[in-house]
Structure formats: structure tokens, C-alpha cells
Amino acid sequence: MALRQEYPRPQFIRKEWANLNGEWDFEFDDQNIGLEERWFEKNKEYTKKINVPFAFQSKLSGINDSSFHDWVWYRREFAIPDTMVGKQIIMHFGAVDYRAMVFINEKLVGTHEGGHTPFSFDITNYLIDGIQSVVVRVEDPSSEETIPRGKQYWMDKPDGIWYTRTTGIWQTVWIEGVNKTHIKKVKYTPDIDKGDIILDFELTGEYREKILEVDIKFQGENVAKDTVIITDGYLRRSINLYNRKIFRTGFHHTGWNWTPESPNLFDVKIRVREQEQILDEVTSYFGMRKIHTENGMVYLNNKPYYQKLVLDQGYWPEGLLTAPTEQDLKKDIELSKEMGFNGCRKHQKVEDPIFLYLADKLGFLVWGECAASPSYSEDAVARLTNEWIEIINRDYNHPCIVTWVPLNESWGVPLICNNEQQKHHSVAMYHLIHSLDTTRLVISNDGWELTRTDICAIHNYNHGQKDEIEKYNEFRNTLLSKENLLNSRPAGRRIYTEGFNHCGEPILLTEFGGIGFKLNNEKGWGYTTVSNEEEYLADYERVMKAIYESSSLHGYCYTQLTDVEQEINGILTYDRTPKCDLRKIRMMNDMWHVDIVK
């Protein structure tokens, strides 16, 4: 049975679609001769099978080969469902790492560069009668250090903080049928101060003088309906939802706003019609949520909100970057909330849209991050910039996302401490993201050597073993005051790089902990080590007490949710087995602490 058959884009749903995951023909092209020999033609025989959307390096792919193969080919046949005949057919790829060429019926329909973001092609004019053929050629330079790699190692074997590579298709492939006149995009921008939801529509086709209808419901009840005659391909509407009702606002309690504790969502149905004929219909949702900073604190919906995040790498033993099932994505959120975390920092990965949908539904903050390149170059700048444009285009509507993290620990900008060009890149990414998204916070360089930033994000793993009293006391003292935090150099790096200073932004400890604990006979490492559950819980409490004693920190991100390959510093094992009583982790995460920065 093929895995990952669920609808892949739950924030924007149409009825007419077909999933193309499952068994595909597959071939390695180690000599890079496939284009010259025209492997996209039907007479080429492929010698292997692969289970899409799992990369060939994973067990679930059916191949499980982690060696270098920089060029690979996929092929499968498919039929257009009867319900889609006569419509425009769009083929979607959730993510293909790293460069993709797509052929339909032996004709090239398009290319895409970037391993973590979706792309699509209108394949209507390439279709033939009967059965269709799709071929995908992928190029993934295994050792290239100027492409966004994240935790995918560019050496032969996983080591340290780097893991097995992912090449090729690793998110869902699917087709949908649309009318020539349809909605290309809808963007929701909540304004809780006015009680408005602002909707930006982009349409294509013969839309003039057609009717656009928007129906909004909250908890099954009708809230608003808007009907407008379309005169242009771009349309903006603003709808007031609070309607002078005080209990809909967040004044007395949550009201209709979205929080991790009350993940309120509005259901939306959007139609384009010509008289009584429905040309396009989309179901969607949004949340009313605001995030901003003030007085050294992060505010959620205009109230100080202390973030308790967990670092989440988003790897699975059998699927690597691809979760085996939707339930696996849901389980990670549920286990995190069970432990008292109210969100995660999704580390060096653009996660599956299903995860973000579940975070929206279950109530779970997400810091969105992108894979970094190891080295700096002008090409690396262009690649990262393009991926961030596509990330925000894909994920703008998710209320769970409250922060964007374009750079981490000076990865990709290793000389930022004294290199003006790399400083400009960091500042440029900060402003680029804000130019695309005014509704979220942006961290310029999570960990240290920050430039312009909305959060002062510090990494510090120097808590020491339990018998290293002086080291622990130094760790504790470093966190106690704003002055100590800003003057610390936990990795020998300045918190702000030369020429930049703290300007009152909230200070959060966004990586720490990493306590290593083996449940079985795994080989691996942690930042400190313990040998049993009792020691593990005691060490976790010891570290958390130092965090909570600080009146200058306004949140944290603990490393990390799960073990990953040789890293055994998760609260859960790689297969999500708890290493201890999770209720006790929650008790420690719920210890009293100062919520308001002094």
C-alpha cells in the first residue's frame, strides 16, 4: 500500500485532484549521460523501483542507498481522472532536492531549483489521449557547499551534527484539475487591533465580470459573507469579524483569537461563479493572531507570551526528511505539547505543509527556518534568497508560524564577524523577509553574531556535567541579567557582530541542553551525558532551574525533541520512544518563573 495519500495542501483545498505517490521507475545516472541518451523517452528501460515520496537514501524508498548519486531519474505512467477531463491539469511537486527537470510525454515542461519548496506546471498542452507519462530528472550535487543543505552532510558518512543526505522527490507529487478561470492565490492578513481579516486574491483566466463569493464561519456558525464582481486579476477585501463584540476580542480572554491554548480557526469557502455556474471552489481557513515585541518581551495577541520551544529536526528513521505518515507528524506535536512545550523551532528544514496544518489545528507555535549552505558565495546568496521568497509564498497563511529564521550560527556566513559583505547579506535577509511578510518576527542569525534582528537569540550549551559545579555556576550566572547575557561568548563568538548592538529586543535562549542519554546500545553523543532516567530528569531540572532564575530571558528552545542518527540528545529516541516519564518533563517545564522581563 502506498504511503502519504492524504491531501497535500490542506490550507487551500480543491475537490478535483489525484495523488501520484507510490511506485515509480527509477535509475541512477552516475555518469550524467541521461540527457544525452534521452532517458525521458519511453524506450529507455529503468532497472529499479522507488516508493515516492521517499528519497532513495531512506528505507521506505525501497532502495536504502546512502552513497553519492548526484543524478537520478524517475518515471511513471498515470491517467487523467474522468472528472478532470476538459479542465486545465496542474502537476504539483511538494519538494524535490535539488534541481528538477520535468518531462510530460517526452516533452520538457519546466525546471525548478531549490530543494525545499513546491513548484507546479500546467501540463494541459502536453497531454495525449490515453495514458500519460511523467519523467523527472534530478541533480543534487552531494558535495557542493554553496547550496542550501541544512543538516544533509556533504561528506560520505553522517557525523557530528550532520545527517544522511536527501536526494530527489521527498514530498507529495499530485495533479489537480481546474477551470481556466480560477483562483491562483489567496492571502490572509489578520488585524486583531481592528478586528479585520484582509484577503488578497489573485485570479487567472477569463475572470472579468465573474462573481467572487467568500463565506466565513467560526465553529460552524456563519460570521461573514462577501460577494463582489471581479474587474481585475488582483482583488483585496477587508472584513470585520469582531463586529463590536467585546468577547470576540482578546480583551478579557482569548476570544476568537488563535493561541496555542485556544487554536481558534475560521473556516472559509471561496467560489468563482458565472451566474449559477461554479467555475472554481476552494475551502480554506485562517486564524486571528498577532505577534510583536515590546519592552524586551514577545507579545502574542498584545499580551506578553513566554515561549517554551523545543528544537525539532524533522527526521525519521525510515523516511529521513519525509515523515512516514500524517500521524507521525501529528504525534510529534502531541508529544511536545504533552511535555509542556508550546511550540518548536523547526531546525534547518522547511517542513511538510501537513505539519503546519496540524500545528494550526492543535495549537503549536512554529519558528520557520530554512536549510543553510555551509559556505558563502554570491551564488549561495541568490539560492537562499530565492528559497525564502518561495517559503513565504507557501506558508504565509499559517497562524502557527510566528518567527522566521533565515540564518543559524553563522552557517553560510562564516566570516560575518569581520566581513562587511557577509554582514550585508544577513541584514539584507532580515529586510527581504520583512518586505514580504510584515506579520512575523525575523531573527537575523540565530545563536550569535546577530545583526539587525527582532529577537536576540542566544545558544549556550555550557551547563556542564552535574559535578562541574564551577562551570554550571558560570552558566547560571551568564543567564541571570541582561548585561551578563549580552556580554557572554558561549561559543567564543560575540552575541552581536561588530557594528551592531542590542536595541531592546527580547532575549531568548534558543539552543541549550542537549543532554545525551542512551536507552539501548546506540553509539552517539550529547552535550553532556547521563546513564539512567533518574540522572536524566535531575540534569533536565538542573538546567531548567538556571533558565527560570533569569529575569531577563523571555523564552527558550530546548535541544532537542528526538535523537537523530548519531545524536542521542533527544527527550525521545529516534523512533519516538520517551526516555523518561513525560509528565515529569512537563512538571519541570511548568515550574514557576518570571513571565515579565524586568
Side-chain angles (χ1 to χ4, degrees):
M1 178 180 177
L3 295 173
R4 302 308 305 266
Q5 295 297 301
E6 71 281 346
Y7 191 86
R9 192 185 57 192
Q11 221 287 324
F12 192 85
I13 298 175
R14 289 192 176 97
K15 292 181 180 179
E16 299 295 339
W17 76 289
N19 194 309
L20 297 185
N21 290 343
E23 187 177 81
W24 290 49
D25 299 329
F26 184 78
E27 195 68 85
F28 294 130
D29 183 13
D30 294 339
Q31 305 304 313
N32 191 21
I33 58 175
L35 278 177
E36 182 180 348
E37 295 186 354
R38 304 176 69 82
W39 288 11
F40 50 86
E41 295 182 349
K42 291 183 179 179
N43 58 6
K44 165 63 182 174
E45 292 187 10
Y46 288 42
T47 63
K48 299 176 178 62
K49 301 289 185 181
I50 190 168
N51 184 20
V52 168
F54 300 97
F56 71 77
Q57 294 94 338
S58 71
K59 294 178 183 177
L60 285 174
S61 72
I63 295 177
N64 195 21
D65 181 346
S66 62
S67 57
F68 286 6
H69 297 286
D70 288 5
W71 297 275
V72 298
W73 291 74
Y74 297 78
R75 181 180 64 196
R76 71 158 288 167
E77 294 181 337
F78 65 98
I80 304 299
D82 292 342
T83 55
M84 294 189 197
V85 172
K87 296 188 175 183
Q88 283 188 307
I89 306 301
I90 311 298
M91 178 169 284
H92 298 274
F93 294 83
V96 180
D97 198 345
Y98 175 69
R99 298 186 183 97
M101 300 177 69
V102 179
F103 301 83
I104 297 293
N105 298 317
E106 304 185 2
K107 300 282 196 314
L108 177 67
V109 299
T111 64
H112 181 262
E113 178 172 343
H116 310 91
T117 48
F119 58 96
S120 59
F121 302 112
D122 183 345
I123 64 171
T124 310
N125 294 334
Y126 298 86
L127 300 178
I128 60 176
D129 293 336
I131 300 300
Q132 317 297 324
S133 169
V134 54
V135 171
V136 182
R137 176 190 184 263
V138 176
E139 179 186 6
D140 185 26
S142 300
S143 58
E144 171 60 59
E145 295 186 33
T146 62
I147 64 173
R149 312 191 61 82
K151 291 302 191 83
Q152 300 181 51
Y153 204 22
W154 54 96
M155 300 295 184
D156 186 33
K157 300 293 183 183
D159 186 50
I161 60 172
W162 292 283
Y163 316 137
T164 301
R165 291 172 299 282
T166 291
T167 293
I169 300 170
W170 67 276
Q171 288 186 26
T172 294
V173 184
W174 56 294
I175 57 172
E176 67 174 341
V178 298
N179 191 285
K180 182 178 181 181
T181 300
H182 63 272
I183 302 160
K184 285 176 58 180
K185 180 180 179 181
V186 61
K187 187 167 79 168
Y188 305 106
T189 304
D191 183 343
I192 72 165
D193 297 323
K194 294 181 179 178
D196 293 346
I197 184 68
I198 300 161
L199 302 96
D200 291 276
F201 298 95
E202 293 181 19
L203 301 105
T204 189
E206 299 171 359
Y207 49 75
R208 293 187 186 277
E209 303 305 314
K210 306 297 190 295
I211 302 297
L212 178 75
E213 294 180 338
V214 181
D215 289 302
I216 300 175
K217 292 185 177 182
F218 181 70
Q219 297 181 353
E221 299 294 325
N222 292 322
V223 173
K225 182 171 183 177
D226 192 22
T227 303
V228 61
I229 298 174
I230 304 168
T231 59
D232 203 297
Y234 167 75
L235 181 66
R236 167 172 278 204
R237 307 295 285 173
S238 180
I239 299 174
N240 187 268
L241 300 173
Y242 296 166
N243 201 27
R244 298 180 179 176
K245 309 285 187 184
I246 193 65
F247 288 135
R248 295 183 182 183
T249 76
F251 183 76
H252 290 289
H253 41 66
T254 299
W256 283 9
N257 294 334
W258 185 96
T259 71
E261 296 72 28
S262 299
N264 296 319
L265 296 173
F266 292 79
D267 296 311
V268 186
K269 183 169 287 186
I270 308 165
R271 295 188 186 92
V272 177
R273 63 179 174 85
E274 184 174 27
Q275 297 179 353
E276 299 305 312
Q277 180 187 4
I278 296 175
L279 304 179
D280 193 20
E281 182 174 285
V282 171
T283 57
S284 182
Y285 68 87
F286 64 86
M288 295 294 286
R289 190 266 300 127
K290 175 184 177 182
I291 194 86
H292 80 283
T293 65
E294 186 179 328
N295 299 323
M297 293 178 286
V298 177
Y299 283 67
L300 179 64
N301 302 331
N302 294 325
K303 297 176 183 177
Y305 194 87
Y306 193 97
Q307 294 179 78
K308 302 178 180 182
L309 311 178
V310 64
L311 195 74
D312 182 356
Q313 310 274 9
Y315 272 75
W316 285 266
E318 295 189 339
L320 299 177
L321 284 179
T322 309
T325 67
E326 179 179 353
Q327 185 60 35
D328 289 292
L329 292 164
K330 185 179 182 182
K331 183 178 181 180
D332 279 2
I333 296 174
E334 290 175 335
L335 287 171
S336 298
K337 288 175 69 73
E338 183 180 339
M339 289 185 276
F341 296 106
N342 53 31
C344 74
R345 178 178 165 214
K346 202 46 118 159
H347 193 37
Q348 288 297 297
K349 180 188 181 186
V350 183
E351 189 53 275
D352 191 313
I354 300 291
F355 178 88
L356 299 175
Y357 161 73
L358 293 168
D360 291 338
K361 296 281 286 185
L362 298 173
F364 197 59
L365 300 177
V366 176
W367 286 19
E369 194 170 338
C370 178
S373 60
S375 298
Y376 183 87
S377 75
E378 288 77 6
D379 286 340
V381 169
R383 289 164 181 158
L384 187 69
T385 298
N386 186 63
E387 291 226 10
W388 270 103
I389 293 169
E390 294 184 349
I391 289 166
I392 293 170
N393 184 58
R394 191 195 79 169
D395 293 339
Y396 181 91
N397 288 335
H398 290 285
C400 67
I401 301 176
V402 293
T403 303
W404 296 121
V405 185
L407 295 171
N408 170 71
E409 291 187 348
S410 302
W411 296 6
V413 284
L415 303 178
I416 194 172
C417 60
N418 52 23
N419 183 290
E420 292 301 316
Q421 185 180 20
Q422 294 183 18
K423 290 178 188 178
H424 282 303
H425 176 46
S426 173
V427 174
M429 292 305 303
Y430 172 86
H431 288 298
L432 169 73
I433 293 173
H434 270 306
S435 76
L436 298 170
D437 185 353
T438 62
T439 70
R440 295 179 172 92
L441 307 179
V442 180
I443 299 174
S444 67
N445 187 15
D446 204 294
W448 46 67
E449 296 176 332
L450 293 148
T451 56
R452 180 71 184 274
T453 188
D454 295 328
I455 289 176
C456 175
I458 299 174
H459 298 178
N460 190 335
Y461 290 100
N462 296 334
H463 61 274
Q465 296 287 147
K466 66 178 181 179
D467 57 352
E468 295 181 293
I469 305 301
E470 291 183 5
K471 189 172 184 179
Y472 174 75
N473 285 338
E474 175 62 22
F475 173 76
R476 178 174 164 270
N477 183 62
T478 296
L479 307 181
L480 280 176
S481 70
K482 180 171 71 173
E483 182 181 8
N484 291 359
L485 283 160
L486 295 175
N487 289 328
S488 66
R489 294 197 179 192
R493 308 286 188 98
R494 296 172 49 154
I495 301 303
Y496 285 81
T497 198
E498 184 181 2
F500 294 86
N501 296 289
H502 185 249
C503 297
E505 48 268 10
I507 305 173
L508 277 70
L509 193 65
T510 52
E511 282 191 36
F512 70 100
I515 303 166
F517 174 30
K518 302 178 185 180
L519 269 194
N520 300 306
N521 296 315
E522 307 102 329
K523 293 182 179 180
W525 64 276
Y527 291 93
T528 56
T529 58
V530 297
S531 57
N532 57 56
E533 180 179 343
E534 183 180 3
E535 289 182 4
Y536 184 78
L537 289 168
D539 223 35
Y540 190 92
E541 183 175 23
R542 180 173 69 98
V543 174
M544 291 309 304
K545 281 183 174 179
I547 305 300
Y548 285 158
E549 282 181 12
S550 174
S551 60
S552 296
L553 287 174
H554 201 243
Y556 61 80
C557 180
Y558 180 82
T559 303
Q560 63 183 340
L561 179 62
T562 75
D563 294 347
V564 184
E565 297 188 343
Q566 67 278 356
E567 281 194 52
I568 55 167
N569 51 23
I571 304 174
L572 312 172
T573 65
Y574 201 7
D575 65 3
R576 277 53 176 178
T577 300
K579 295 183 180 181
C580 60
D581 186 340
L582 298 187
R583 293 172 299 179
K584 294 182 178 179
I585 294 291
R586 185 181 189 100
M587 288 174 60
M588 287 179 270
N589 283 339
D590 287 347
M591 288 189 295
W592 186 87
H593 57 91
V594 178
D595 283 331
I596 306 299
V597 168
K598 296 180 179 179

